[in-house]
Structures are given as structure tokens and as C-alpha cells.
Amino acid sequence: AGDALLVITPETWAPAKVGGTQGVTVASNASWTVSSNQSWVTLSKTAGTGAGTVTLAAKANTSTISRTATVTFKAGTVVRTVAITQPGI
């Protein structure tokens, strides 16, 4: 089996300071996993196979400082990320 195919859209997201949700479309020919490195970004699912959609949800930022998170999708050896930046108050 050749390399896994993994394409995600979008690869960046800037949620409002009050929080929000964003769907990420996944196109793959393999099973994949997804994880968030920050507790303020939650995922509608943590794994899938083939095409799918994962909804990211960001909690409100109550700080005056902007913050960043990375959501990582993996299929085989292929890794794609969504870079998230949320402004502060």
C-alpha cells in the first residue's frame, strides 16, 4: 500500500474571542486520527476513515492575551495540521 493520502481544509482558523465552531473537511484513502494540543479546542471526533468532517469548537478566551492551538490529523505517516489563533479580549 502506497503512502496514505490526507488533505484537510482549512489549515488555519481564527475563532472569535467569544469562541465558535469550525468544520474541517477531511479527504483520505486511509483511516486517520485527530487530536488537539489545547484543552480549549475540542473535537467532534478523534478518528475516522476516508472522507469526513471534524467540527472544532473553541471556548471563549477570557484573557487579554491571544492564544494558539494546533489540531493534528494523522493518516499513516502523513501529518496535516490546523493552526488556530484566537485573539484576547
Side-chain angles (χ1 to χ4, degrees):
D3 289 341
L5 171 77
L6 181 63
V7 178
I8 62 170
T9 307
E11 293 188 338
T12 59
W13 178 37
K17 63 190 176 189
V18 294
T21 60
Q22 170 70 51
V24 177
T25 303
V26 182
S28 180
N29 61 356
S31 59
W32 43 268
T33 61
V34 55
S35 59
S36 168
N37 71 341
Q38 297 291 337
S39 61
W40 58 270
V41 176
T42 56
L43 311 170
S44 62
K45 63 176 80 173
T46 55
T49 302
T53 302
V54 177
T55 301
L56 314 184
K59 296 174 182 166
N61 187 357
T62 55
S63 166
T64 56
I65 302 166
S66 67
R67 57 186 179 177
T68 61
T70 303
V71 172
T72 304
F73 290 79
K74 295 179 183 177
T77 58
V78 182
V79 177
R80 297 281 185 266
T81 60
V82 180
I84 302 167
T85 304
Q86 184 181 38
I89 294 171

